[in-house]
Amino acid sequence: MKNLQKALLAVIAGSVMTMSAQAALSYAGQPYAGVKIGQYSPDDAEDDAFSYGVYGGYKFTPEFGLEAEYLTTSDTDAYEDSVEKSEYSADVLGLYATYDYVFPTTALYAKGRLGVAKNEIDVEYKDKVFNTRVC
């Protein structure tokens, strides 16, 4: 997917999520869910991966809640030349406690999360000369 398409998709998804987030400000005691898209950029990789996933949570009070997420990436080149090639993909699982602060006299709020996340990266190496793969 080209960068312009990714940017357009991010703007549209962000607009839809912003509308639902503003509507959910007063819904304590309610579950919520959403989607995430973005870019995954590990060090020393040639290309950044397209990242996407889902999240869901529950607001116990107007301020405090619990949220879980799952993110994954597309297979992306980490390194490639005429002799060898390596690709990577990643998965992220997270569980967080959330805190929402509503700014007085506005429809804006700030959200903080504190929790744990497991990040797993799979790398696949291919030798082009001998046509062998190592995972």
Side-chain angles (χ1 to χ4, degrees), residues 3-132:
N3 285 337
L4 181 59
Q5 291 170 330
K6 290 179 189 177
L8 183 59
L9 187 59
V11 168
I12 292 169
S15 298
V16 170
M17 286 186 283
T18 301
M19 287 184 278
S20 63
Q22 289 175 353
L25 283 176
S26 62
Y27 290 112
Q30 295 291 323
Y32 61 92
V35 296
K36 290 184 175 189
I37 58 172
Q39 194 170 27
Y40 192 83
S41 305
D43 294 339
D44 300 328
E46 284 184 358
D47 295 329
D48 297 332
F50 178 65
S51 178
Y52 53 94
V54 295
Y55 68 95
Y58 189 82
K59 291 184 76 156
F60 296 102
T61 70
E63 294 86 18
F64 293 101
L66 187 65
E67 184 172 293
E69 71 178 354
Y70 170 73
L71 301 169
T72 190
T73 67
S74 56
D75 288 339
T76 306
D77 291 340
Y79 176 79
E80 183 173 12
D81 64 12
S82 60
V83 180
E84 59 188 2
K85 176 181 180 176
S86 61
E87 292 182 335
Y88 72 92
S89 63
D91 293 318
V92 179
L93 291 170
L95 183 63
Y96 312 98
T98 63
Y99 177 78
D100 294 351
Y101 174 77
V102 179
F103 293 100
T105 67
T106 68
L108 300 174
Y109 75 98
K111 179 179 182 179
R113 301 188 314 172
L114 180 63
V116 295
K118 178 184 178 190
N119 192 345
E120 184 176 296
I121 300 176
D122 295 322
V123 178
E124 183 178 291
Y125 172 81
K126 180 180 180 183
D127 187 329
K128 292 181 178 180
V129 176
F130 298 108
N131 200 21
T132 58

